[in-house]
Amino acid sequence: MRRHSFKRSTQGQAGFALVASIVVIAGILVLALSLLILGRVERRTARAYSHQYRVELALDAGTQAAMATLQTVVERDDFWVASQAVPNPDSSTPTEVTWLVVQDGTSGWRYLPLFGGTEPVSQGGARPQMPASPADLEPITGIPNNPLMSQPVANWETLDSDRYEVRYTYWLEDLHAGIDADIAGLVERDQGLDPRESGWFTLFDRAAIRDTGSLANSDIIANRELLQRTRDFASVLDDNQDGAATSDAQIAERYLNFGVPESLLERQIVPPYEDIEAPGEPQADLNQLVADADVEAIAAKINQHLPEFAERRGGMTSEQDYVKTLAASAIDYADEDQNPTLAADYRGVDSYPFVNEIYDRYEWIRPPAGQPGLVRIEVRTFVELWNPSDREISGSVELENVNKHRIIIPGLGEVEFGAVSFQPETVSLAANGFQVLEFSPADEPKVYEFDAGNFPAAPPLKFPNSWTTESNYRLSWNGGLVDYARGGLARTDGTLRPSEPKWKGQASVALDYRLNQSGDPRSSYLIQTWVFPNTYSSNSNWGGRALKRGINNTDFNEVRISESPDGHWFDGGHQSTAGVQAGSDNRLPTQLAFPSPEPNLAPAHISNEGRYFNVGELGNIFDPAQWEDVSIPSSSPNANSGGGITLAIGRPEYPVFDQPGRRARHLTDLFSVNPQAIRSAKGLINVNTAPREVLRTLWAGIFLDDDPALRRPVLTPSNGEQGDVFADAVIAARQLGPLLGLSDLLALRDNNGNFIFGDPNAWTSRPPDPNWDDQGREALFGRIANLVTFRSRAFRLVVSAEIIERVGSEERILARGRREMSFAIQPRRDDTGEIQPTQGNDFFLIDRRLR
């Protein structure tokens, strides 16, 4: 191997020194360059920290601005949270912005934007109407997934625009616009008494009529705790689903919320409608008023807020107080007994019987030996009682027969039979049941004796040629007067012969369609004209619905439930089996074979559950108003009319009452079924902000089987078509202004102008049976009333901030930050429910995310 050797020399040492010097100089240059680069990096890093710090300050400013707007929420109960569709510059599809709406003094409204960069708007008007769309809204990009809006829009608020523009914006979303996934799906859809009944299954299957246990529903329910922590719907749904998991997760993310506290309370107030006086006061606790049987307080609440409501009375006599009569019936509908709430100027309608037919049987009995001038006439009184309610009843009945009919006795002239009080009878009646009784003052028939001395009366005896109308009856139930004919009973002329009985009486009181009487026995107490008489043999009608086969005139010959105002105007009601014709004056009504009871066809619903479960139940209250024809707006009051009317709540109002201050639907704005009108807001859906898919769930899966004759699954709303009709009607209405209360829901119409609630013409598929009764058609509203709200104290806040550098026409984002949190604000209240502003409020942080 060849080796190389190196020798040192002076020249070699000098060369090394040069190389070393170059190396040293190069090192110095590298160091200098490194120091220069390091200084630039540090300056850039310092600027980055500075930018980020300023972004954090901007986020703080945005958070404070948003929370300052919400301060209104903790100071009052009379506010509304409502959304408005506005143009999105980046999309052909409008997006939603949310306003906090409050009264501005006494003559206007103030709209506080729950999104950044827009000033509050003030407007006048009797009720709030949405302001014009805010100008210059920009899509906010680069933000976290937003449940209820595909892309929010807002205005930027600039804090500093010296060299760099520092700006922020924010938007608040109403958590009550979505389904509360903490509780939804735990209770099958039924009476709408519990927010847990939400039909959220239609989010994943639009055509479903019930929760069929689809994977999306069951997976979310099974993984609630995990989702409450992570909100990772995709991973939960992907575990068991292929293909649909992504879309289901997106749906769940958009429309489901978690974490609204059970303790978040809402006080229900009287909305500020033009029709209503003294808005803003708390609604009255209806169930407490029922428990106290406080007629005065119920009537006072109505008269205070709806002073025109009493004008609905029509021809009702001044002896009876219309509003107190309604109040008494509102109590009797719900209380647990079957007894009337009574006073001199009102009578409530409960599940007690009424007189449906009353006949006196007259028979001339030959005098005893030695008393040729003694005229003896036996009078036997037969009454048919009808329980028109859908409740079985049992109690004590007392009857007084005020028999003012007269007969001509030779030697004495006209003599009067006189009033007879009978012994109490204990009766039990099925729902929609009839019972025929012979009332007697003792154990033997009543015999009237008229002594003309020594002059025997030759047959026949004659009743007066002119009719008498002074006779009457007085029926008491468990000691309370429940029924009599205010206008009297007509008695006819005729003759009476020995051993040839004669009948005088009425088959179906309060029946004269010419006078807008419908055969409703509840109205006999009110009608001031006498009751038309009927022939016993051919026109009496026992044990069922009145059908007078001997009368051809349709104004008098039949009680047709479908022809009552509730049925005729809305094409509803069921005809039960007709009663039995006597056929002969020699056949007693107690000897007839009666039809079987038909409880499913009862025309009147009485709860007797001890409480109201929803304010829609007020639609079952008998309305004593008396008009010639309530279906005509120009109808005139008529004291001879009445019957067949209940309050229109859950269906269209009668035209005669459809004017400011007289609409029955406004009663839903005055009364609450919650103690002190305070309820938990958890699970409630704000119809002013909920998107179409969420609104549809309010309608989803409801079986409208409150009409006992139409049981499930005969009447089931179509969730795809009919639910969307409801949702579209809500969205269209709220674009004009926020819905203020339940009566605004009842006023909703579809695109064809039909009322959404209670009008079969609004149904797009599977319309209700033509005989759908009043209770059945009104039930849908009751199923929804407890599930909705019109405001919110639970929100999702997203704040975005950024720093922009502009050089010429170029724009560069130097730093960006986002902050997101969900929270609820609860004002503190005293024992009566009044907000105590000096006591602060409770802040519930539901979720917090920094992005």
Side-chain angles (χ1 to χ4, degrees):
M1 175 179 285
R2 190 172 184 176
R3 295 178 181 271
H4 296 276
S5 61
F6 295 95
K7 295 183 180 179
R8 291 178 182 241
S9 67
T10 305
Q11 287 181 333
Q13 290 176 349
F16 178 78
L18 179 60
V19 172
S21 297
I22 293 173
V23 171
V24 171
I25 292 171
I28 292 172
L29 291 173
V30 170
L31 177 61
L33 182 60
S34 298
L35 291 173
L36 179 62
I37 293 173
L38 181 60
R40 289 181 178 176
V41 170
E42 287 178 343
R43 285 194 297 275
R44 288 179 180 176
T45 302
R47 284 198 298 270
Y49 277 122
S50 175
H51 292 333
Q52 194 59 45
Y53 178 67
R54 296 173 79 183
V55 165
E56 289 297 319
L57 292 178
L59 291 173
D60 289 342
T63 302
Q64 292 173 13
M67 300 306 290
T69 301
L70 290 180
Q71 181 63 31
T72 304
V73 172
V74 299
E75 294 175 346
R76 57 199 296 174
D77 286 310
D78 57 336
F79 68 90
W80 291 263
V81 177
S83 62
Q84 177 187 27
V86 298
N88 185 337
D90 283 0
S91 172
S92 60
T93 302
T95 189
E96 300 278 335
V97 296
T98 306
W99 299 89
L100 182 65
V101 184
V102 297
Q103 282 195 293
D104 189 5
T106 58
S107 60
W109 304 90
R110 192 162 176 82
Y111 300 80
L112 305 175
L114 299 186
F115 51 98
T118 301
E119 291 297 318
V121 177
S122 293
Q123 289 185 348
R127 65 173 293 159
Q129 298 189 13
M130 280 300 178
S133 295
D136 303 323
L137 295 180
E138 297 182 27
I140 310 302
T141 58
I143 58 173
N145 186 41
N146 194 341
L148 299 177
M149 292 183 286
S150 57
Q151 184 183 45
V153 293
N155 282 315
W156 290 96
E157 190 77 36
T158 300
L159 293 176
D160 185 3
S161 59
D162 189 5
R163 178 178 175 184
Y164 308 111
E165 180 177 317
V166 182
R167 64 184 190 174
Y168 72 83
T169 192
Y170 66 86
W171 63 97
L172 286 146
E173 294 176 349
D174 179 6
L175 293 184
H176 286 294
I179 302 292
D180 191 326
D182 287 330
I183 60 175
L186 291 180
V187 175
E188 183 180 356
R189 201 70 197 265
D190 190 25
Q191 300 294 313
L193 306 181
D194 191 324
R196 295 179 296 174
E197 294 182 34
S198 171
W200 73 341
F201 47 86
T202 60
L203 294 178
F204 308 105
D205 183 358
R206 180 175 176 269
I209 63 172
R210 60 162 60 90
D211 186 352
T212 56
S214 68
L215 290 177
N217 299 336
S218 57
D219 285 349
I220 291 172
I221 292 172
N223 293 279
R224 274 197 173 103
E225 292 187 10
L226 173 62
L227 289 169
Q228 287 168 352
R229 296 193 303 271
T230 68
R231 309 293 199 274
D232 191 356
F233 291 95
S235 64
V236 168
L237 297 178
D238 276 339
D239 287 342
N240 293 309
Q241 294 192 26
D242 295 323
T246 300
S247 60
D248 285 346
Q250 291 172 344
I251 290 171
E253 178 74 13
R254 279 176 65 82
Y255 304 124
L256 300 182
N257 291 312
F258 288 93
V260 174
E262 183 74 35
S263 58
L264 185 64
L265 302 178
E266 175 183 85
R267 188 168 207 187
Q268 296 166 281
I269 61 165
V270 177
Y273 290 113
E274 183 180 8
D275 301 2
I276 288 182
E277 300 288 338
E281 292 191 3
Q283 295 179 356
D285 183 347
L286 182 58
N287 285 323
Q288 186 60 56
L289 295 172
V290 168
D292 296 339
D294 199 337
V295 171
E296 298 290 337
I298 295 176
K301 187 70 173 177
I302 297 172
N303 288 328
Q304 175 194 8
H305 296 288
L306 295 170
E308 286 286 314
F309 203 78
E311 298 305 313
R312 292 168 53 104
R313 66 185 300 121
M316 186 176 178
T317 173
S318 60
E319 298 172 10
Q320 296 290 292
D321 187 298
Y322 174 76
V323 177
K324 288 182 180 179
T325 299
L326 286 177
S329 289
I331 292 169
D332 286 340
Y333 166 84
D335 63 13
E336 292 183 316
D337 62 46
Q338 301 165 351
N339 303 326
T341 298
L342 285 170
D345 56 349
Y346 59 79
R347 173 209 64 171
V349 173
D350 208 315
S351 53
Y352 51 72
F354 299 85
V355 171
N356 195 51
E357 292 194 85
I358 181 168
Y359 277 87
D360 289 326
R361 180 183 182 275
Y362 298 82
E363 184 174 1
W364 184 5
I365 301 173
R366 292 193 178 277
Q371 294 180 283
L374 183 65
V375 176
R376 304 178 70 227
I377 301 176
E378 177 189 87
V379 180
R380 301 171 67 177
T381 301
F382 295 85
V383 172
E384 178 186 69
L385 301 179
W386 182 19
N387 167 25
S389 80
D390 54 358
R391 291 282 176 180
E392 295 182 7
I393 61 173
S394 180
S396 175
V397 171
E398 295 178 67
L399 179 73
E400 180 184 6
N401 184 5
V402 186
N403 190 348
K404 297 288 187 177
H405 202 27
R406 294 181 287 276
I407 196 165
I408 300 172
I409 305 295
L412 295 177
E414 287 189 6
V415 295
E416 185 178 285
F417 288 96
V420 177
S421 294
F422 299 105
Q423 297 293 327
E425 298 275 354
T426 299
V427 300
S428 295
L429 282 160
N432 195 33
F434 298 83
Q435 184 168 350
V436 179
L437 297 170
E438 178 181 1
F439 282 90
S440 176
D443 295 330
E444 58 185 32
K446 171 66 176 175
V447 176
Y448 292 86
E449 295 184 344
F450 305 101
D451 193 352
N454 294 321
F455 300 95
L461 299 177
K462 292 184 178 181
F463 294 99
N465 290 331
S466 60
W467 291 5
T468 60
T469 58
E470 298 88 357
S471 295
N472 215 312
Y473 61 86
R474 296 173 63 86
L475 183 76
S476 295
W477 174 259
N478 293 335
L481 178 65
V482 295
D483 193 14
Y484 78 103
R486 186 175 295 272
L489 305 177
R491 294 289 182 258
T492 58
D493 57 2
T495 59
L496 182 64
R497 301 177 182 276
S499 303
E500 295 182 8
K502 183 72 67 175
W503 295 81
K504 303 290 184 181
Q506 280 77 19
S508 73
V509 296
L511 177 60
D512 185 346
Y513 288 110
R514 300 173 309 168
L515 299 175
N516 199 29
Q517 300 173 7
S518 59
D520 182 351
R522 296 173 296 180
S523 63
S524 300
Y525 197 92
L526 305 168
I527 292 172
Q528 296 185 58
T529 187
W530 44 264
V531 182
F532 203 88
N534 295 125
T535 304
Y536 173 79
S537 60
S538 58
N539 295 325
S540 67
N541 191 90
W542 303 93
R545 175 175 62 87
L547 176 58
K548 306 169 189 176
R549 297 168 177 85
I551 297 179
N552 294 324
N553 189 331
T554 57
D555 290 325
F556 305 102
N557 71 355
E558 182 180 2
V559 173
R560 301 181 294 275
I561 301 299
S562 61
E563 289 298 316
S564 68
D566 273 357
H568 178 68
W569 179 242
F570 302 107
D571 297 326
H574 304 282
Q575 305 286 35
S576 57
T577 301
V580 180
Q581 187 181 31
S584 167
D585 283 350
N586 293 318
R587 295 181 68 189
L588 301 180
T590 51
Q591 297 172 335
L592 303 175
F594 305 128
S596 299
E598 296 174 294
N600 287 351
L601 304 184
H605 174 57
I606 298 291
S607 170
N608 287 155
E609 296 282 348
R611 57 158 299 179
Y612 282 81
F613 295 96
N614 67 74
V615 290
E617 291 181 90
L618 289 169
N620 295 309
I621 304 305
F622 172 70
D623 188 345
Q626 295 178 269
W627 296 81
E628 287 182 356
D629 188 347
V630 291
S631 65
I632 299 175
S634 60
S635 182
S636 299
N638 191 335
N640 298 327
S641 302
I645 309 175
T646 53
L647 294 176
I649 299 176
R651 58 169 168 79
E653 180 60 272
Y654 284 112
V656 73
F657 305 132
D658 195 11
Q659 52 186 298
R662 301 187 186 183
R663 299 178 179 97
R665 64 174 179 257
H666 278 309
L667 296 180
T668 66
D669 301 314
L670 308 186
F671 298 99
S672 167
V673 297
N674 301 290
Q676 294 185 324
I678 296 176
R679 59 177 176 171
S680 170
K682 185 170 181 60
L684 301 182
I685 293 174
N686 184 357
V687 293
N688 283 320
T689 57
R692 189 172 191 255
E693 291 76 5
V694 173
L695 289 170
R696 187 172 64 237
T697 68
L698 288 169
W699 200 289
I702 298 176
F703 288 90
L704 298 176
D705 56 359
D706 278 39
D707 182 343
L710 301 173
R711 291 300 186 189
R712 67 178 64 183
V714 175
L715 292 173
T716 306
S718 168
N719 296 317
E721 297 181 11
Q722 194 60 35
D724 285 338
V725 170
F726 167 71
D728 291 342
V730 171
I731 291 171
R734 76 190 189 195
Q735 297 311 307
L736 303 177
L739 282 68
L740 303 179
L742 289 175
S743 60
D744 270 348
L745 280 185
L746 289 168
L748 290 175
R749 296 175 184 259
D750 65 12
N751 292 333
N752 297 317
N754 301 309
F755 282 97
I756 296 298
F757 289 100
D759 187 347
N761 294 321
W763 288 68
T764 59
S765 64
R766 301 184 67 186
D769 188 287
N771 294 322
W772 201 22
D773 74 4
D774 183 68
Q775 180 196 357
R777 74 176 61 249
E778 293 178 336
L780 181 59
F781 172 72
R783 300 288 202 276
I784 292 175
N786 289 339
L787 305 181
V788 304
T789 184
F790 304 89
R791 55 185 56 85
S792 179
R793 285 192 170 92
F795 300 93
R796 176 177 183 254
L797 169 65
V798 179
V799 186
S800 183
E802 56 191 28
I803 297 180
I804 298 174
E805 182 181 39
R806 290 188 173 90
V807 179
S809 61
E810 293 185 4
E811 181 179 288
R812 190 162 54 119
I813 297 176
L814 302 178
R816 173 180 283 163
R818 292 178 297 275
R819 182 180 297 166
E820 176 186 345
M821 65 173 127
S822 298
F823 58 89
I825 303 175
Q826 176 64 60
R828 294 180 181 171
R829 302 176 183 270
D830 62 17
D831 292 340
T832 67
E834 292 291 335
I835 293 176
Q836 301 298 295
T838 61
Q839 300 300 313
N841 57 81
D842 295 318
F843 184 92
F844 302 93
L845 186 63
I846 298 169
D847 184 33
R848 181 181 179 88
R849 303 181 196 181
L850 299 177
R851 310 266 179 153

